[in-house]
Amino acid sequence: MRFDFQKQHTIGKEVSCSGVGLHTGSKVSLRLRPAPPGHGIRFRRMDVCNQPIVCAHYHEVVSTSLATSIGFGGVVISTIEHLMAAFLASGADNVLVEVDGPEVPIYDGSAAPYVELLAEVGLREQEALRQCFKVVRPFQVQDGDAFVRGTPSDRFSVRYAIDFPHPMVGKQEYCWTYNPVTFAREIARARTFGFLKDVQKLQNMGLARGGSLANAVVFDDTGLLNREGFRYKNECVRHKILDFFGDLALAGVPLLGHFEVHKAGHALHSRFLKQMMTAPGLCVQAKPVRARRPFFPAAAFPNFPSPYPPAGKPL
C-alpha cells in the first residue's frame, strides 16, 4: 500500500491489549481507536467518572519524576513516553487511547510491544495535511552539567551521552537518525534501566510496585541482575534516546532538527520542548514536501523475531 506522507494518518483498526503498570503494579487494559483528522493523540481514562480526556501535549505535562505524566483537571496518565515514541515513529497522527488506570502498561520496559501492536493494525491515510515543525535557530537548556541543545537540520537526529558511575554503564554515547527501520531495530527494544538500591527505595515509598527484571534492566553495586544480559551493549543510552524521542512526541507534530543531549532526563527533555515550542523564532512550520523519503514515514516496521504474543492478548 502506498502512503502520501503529506497527509495525516490514523491506525487501521481498533486494537486492545493489557499489561501491568510500573508504579501501581496493577493490571491495566489499553484500547487504541482510530481518530479523525486533527484529533492528535488523546488519552481517555475509562475508570474515572465521565471518562475525561487528556491531550498528549507538552502543555498538559504535570510530572516528569521517574516518567512523563500528563494530566488535566486532576486526572493523570503516567509513563506514556514509550507509547508516544511508537506513535511518532510509526507515523500515527490521530489515535484515541482508552486506558482503565492511571498509567499505561510498562510491558518489558521498552517500546517494542507497542511497535508490534501498531505494525499489526497498520495505518490509514486521511484527507488532511500533516504539519511539521523545523528548528531554525540554535537553542539550549541546561541544568548543571546536563543539557539539551537543538540546531537546524532537514531531518531528525540525536546524539545522546550518559555517564553513570557503575562498572557496567559508565560513559555511553549513541547517535541516531530517524527512520522507521532503525527505530525498530536500534531504539525500540532498549529497556528502561535502574539500580537495585533505588528500586528498593521506590518500592518502600509505594512506587515501582510493578517493577521487576521482566520489565527493566537492573544493576546491583557491581553487576547486572538480568540473566539474559543486555539486548545491546549500550542499551542504557539507547533507552535514553527512546525516552527523548517519546518526550518530544508531545510537540503534537514531528520535529526536524539535530539534538545533542548530555546527562538529561524527562524533566530537562520536557523543559527543552516547552521552551523551544513557545519561544518566538526557534521553530517554524515546515512546508509539506513530497519526497521519496518523507520526514516521518509510516512505512511498515521490519520483521524481526518477536518475543511478544499477538496484539490483543496480555503480555
Side-chain angles (χ1 to χ4, degrees), residues 63-216:
S63 175
T64 51
S65 176
L66 306 177
T68 297
S69 303
I70 55 173
F72 183 79
V75 176
V76 175
I77 300 99
S78 300
T79 325
I80 64 169
E81 57 271 15
H82 303 165
L83 175 58
M84 291 302 300
F87 282 142
L88 182 57
S90 71
D93 302 288
N94 304 301
V95 183
L96 177 61
V97 183
E98 296 181 343
V99 59
D100 66 355
E103 57 183 334
V104 302
I106 188 63
Y107 293 132
D108 68 344
S110 80
Y114 290 123
V115 168
E116 296 261 322
L117 200 67
L118 292 171
E120 181 172 324
V121 299
L123 297 180
R124 175 164 52 85
E125 182 182 283
Q126 299 175 298
E127 289 302 318
L129 289 178
R130 197 178 205 204
Q131 288 188 324
C132 182
F133 276 75
K134 180 179 179 179
V135 178
V136 293
R137 200 175 77 197
F139 174 66
Q140 177 173 311
V141 296
Q142 191 160 352
D143 182 9
D145 62 346
F147 66 83
V148 183
R149 179 186 301 127
T151 54
S153 176
D154 290 329
R155 56 187 180 176
F156 180 98
S157 61
V158 57
R159 178 192 297 269
Y160 210 117
I162 62 174
D163 185 1
F164 287 89
H166 190 279
M168 299 196 72
V169 185
K171 294 182 179 180
Q172 296 182 13
E173 183 175 300
Y174 196 71
C175 302
W176 175 67
T177 299
Y178 172 81
N179 75 59
V181 174
T182 60
F183 178 79
R185 289 179 178 168
E186 300 176 17
I187 304 299
R189 298 182 68 248
R191 297 161 294 176
T192 191
F193 63 96
F195 301 90
L196 182 61
K197 58 183 179 181
D198 296 330
V199 173
Q200 291 170 337
K201 288 179 183 178
L202 290 172
Q203 291 180 338
N204 290 336
M205 296 167 58
L207 300 172
R209 292 176 178 174
S212 72
L213 297 179
N215 53 42

Side-chain angles (χ1 to χ4, degrees), residues 2-10 37-38 90-94 123-133 253-254 256 285-299:
R2 179 184 176 276
F3 289 107
D4 176 357
F5 296 100
Q6 291 179 316
K7 301 291 183 67
Q8 295 179 25
H9 292 78
T10 188
S90 71
D93 302 288
N94 304 301
L123 297 180
R124 175 164 52 85
E125 182 182 283
Q126 299 175 298
E127 289 302 318
L129 289 178
R130 197 178 205 204
Q131 288 188 324
C132 182
F133 276 75
V253 294
L256 303 180
Q285 184 172 341
K287 294 181 179 179
V289 177
R290 187 184 298 274
R292 292 174 61 188
R293 293 191 177 185
F295 298 139
F296 282 83

Side-chain angles (χ1 to χ4, degrees), residues 10-16 32-34 120-124:
T10 188
I11 55 176
K13 61 181 180 180
E14 180 180 313
V15 64
S16 299
L32 308 183
R33 292 182 179 273
E120 181 172 324
V121 299
L123 297 180
R124 175 164 52 85

Side-chain angles (χ1 to χ4, degrees), residues 254-301:
L255 294 174
L256 303 180
H258 175 67
F259 303 94
E260 294 183 44
V261 192
H262 180 70
K263 297 173 66 173
H266 294 297
L268 205 58
H269 298 168
S270 181
R271 181 177 142 203
F272 171 81
L273 175 62
K274 187 171 184 178
Q275 292 187 26
M276 184 177 66
M277 296 300 290
T278 56
L282 295 181
C283 279
V284 299
Q285 184 172 341
K287 294 181 179 179
V289 177
R290 187 184 298 274
R292 292 174 61 188
R293 293 191 177 185
F295 298 139
F296 282 83
F301 287 98

